[in-house]
Amino acid sequence: MAGIRALVAGNWKMYGVSDSLAMLDELASGLASGPTAACDVMLCPPSTLVAAAVARTKDTQVSVGGQDCHADVSGAHTGDISAEMLADAGAIAIIVGHSERRAEHGETDPQVRAKAEAAHRAGLTAIVCVGETEAERRAGQAVKVVSDQLDGSLPDAINAGNTVVAYEPVWAIGSGLTPTPEDVAEIHTVIRDNLIARYGDSGVDVRLLYGGSVKPANAVELMAVANVNGALVGGASLKAEDFLGIIAAFRS
Ligand code: 13P
C-alpha cells in the first residue's frame, strides 16, 4: 500500500563462490548511477559468503541476509547456523520457510515459526515464505493453504520492522510461470487481511513480497499489483543486469 517502502531481495540459493561477489560491485555501482531506486535492496547469498558480502557492500545501498537458520542460539547441531551467527556475520535478515526448505527438509509451520522467532531474538528481520503447490492451486486450495501457513508460521508479535512475508507459489519458482496479476492480488489481499485481523495496526505496513519467476520483463506488471511491496528473486538475482532490471520497476 502507499507509504510502504518496497524491498527487492535476492535469494542466491545454493549458488555462488567467492568470485560471484563481483556481482555485488556491479549492483552497487548500478544503483549509485541513474535514477534513485525507491526500494531497499538485499541479497541473501549462501552462508559461506555472508560475511564477505557484508564487507563488500559496506557503504553501498545493498544489505545482506541469510537463507535459513536453526531455531536455537547454539548447540550440538552439526552443519546448522543460528540467527545469532548470521547477525554476527552482518546479516540483517533471514529467509525462513522457503518452499525448498519445506519440501526438501520437511520443515513444518511450527519449525518455520520457531526460526522466525529466532531471527527476531537475534534482532533480525524474518522473511517468512508461504505459497501453494500446483496441485493445491488446481484443487482451489491456494487461499486456504496460504492462510494456514501464515497462521502456523508467523510469531505472535510481528511488525513492519521485524517481519516480511513472501508469497511464492511453488509452481512459479524457477519455472518461468507466473500467476496472473489478478491471482497475485487475490492472495496478497488475503495475506494483508490476515495480518490486520491478527496483528491490528502492526499488520498494516508489513511488507508483502511476491516471488516466483520475477524477471525484468514482468517486474513492472507484478510490482504494480495491490499489496505487493517488492519481490523475492531467485535466478534473476544472480546477475547484476537482471537484478537491476527488476529494481528498475522502482526507479523513476
Ligand atoms: P526464481 O526467481 O528463480 O523463480 O526463484 C524464486 C525464489 O524461490 C526466491 O526465493
Side-chain angles (χ1 to χ4, degrees):
M1 67 183 288
I4 298 181
R5 184 169 170 83
L7 168 66
V8 177
N11 172 10
W12 279 11
K13 308 190 179 185
M14 201 173 74
Y15 295 99
V17 292
S18 305
D19 282 353
S20 316
L21 296 174
M23 177 274 188
L24 298 174
D25 305 338
E26 275 180 72
L27 175 62
S29 67
L31 285 170
S33 64
T36 305
C39 63
D40 294 332
V41 176
M42 182 187 297
L43 276 172
C44 302
S47 51
T48 48
L49 295 179
V50 166
V54 169
R56 194 100 168 211
T57 53
K58 193 169 178 284
D59 300 326
T60 75
Q61 297 168 50
V62 182
S63 61
V64 176
Q67 297 179 12
D68 178 48
C69 67
H70 194 282
D72 293 347
V73 177
S74 59
H77 304 297
T78 302
D80 277 321
I81 293 172
S82 70
E84 282 75 5
M85 291 170 180
L86 286 164
D88 181 54
I92 66 159
I94 311 176
I95 299 168
V96 297
H98 192 282
S99 62
E100 287 151 15
R101 302 280 326 164
R102 291 177 186 263
E104 295 175 20
H105 299 269
E107 289 187 10
T108 62
D109 288 334
Q111 286 171 324
V112 174
R113 175 184 165 133
K115 290 177 183 218
E117 288 168 349
H120 293 172
R121 183 188 64 217
L124 305 186
T125 297
I127 302 175
V128 182
C129 301
V130 296
E132 81 285 358
T133 63
E134 187 178 9
E136 289 162 343
R137 175 156 285 270
R138 274 211 233 98
Q141 295 291 304
V143 166
K144 179 173 172 18
V145 168
V146 168
S147 301
D148 288 351
Q149 287 176 335
L150 291 172
D151 291 347
S153 304
L154 291 175
D156 277 338
I158 73 162
N159 57 55
N162 68 16
T163 302
V164 172
V165 174
Y167 169 56
E168 298 205 308
V170 177
W171 52 274
I173 294 175
S175 64
L177 302 172
T178 52
T180 64
E182 291 74 27
D183 287 341
V184 175
E186 181 194 19
I187 299 288
H188 277 243
T189 301
V190 165
I191 296 172
R192 178 67 69 207
D193 290 349
N194 178 304
L195 297 188
I196 291 172
R198 183 165 169 192
Y199 303 105
D201 285 351
S202 298
V204 170
D205 51 2
V206 168
R207 294 190 276 198
L208 310 185
L209 310 185
Y210 168 77
S213 295
V214 179
K215 307 270 184 277
N218 60 23
V220 170
E221 184 179 43
L222 289 166
M223 296 302 105
V225 173
N227 285 309
V228 171
N229 314 118
L232 183 55
V233 183
S237 72
L238 293 167
K239 277 200 197 144
E241 186 186 351
D242 293 341
F243 202 45
L244 284 164
I246 292 167
I247 293 164
F250 297 98
R251 303 180 100 168
S252 53

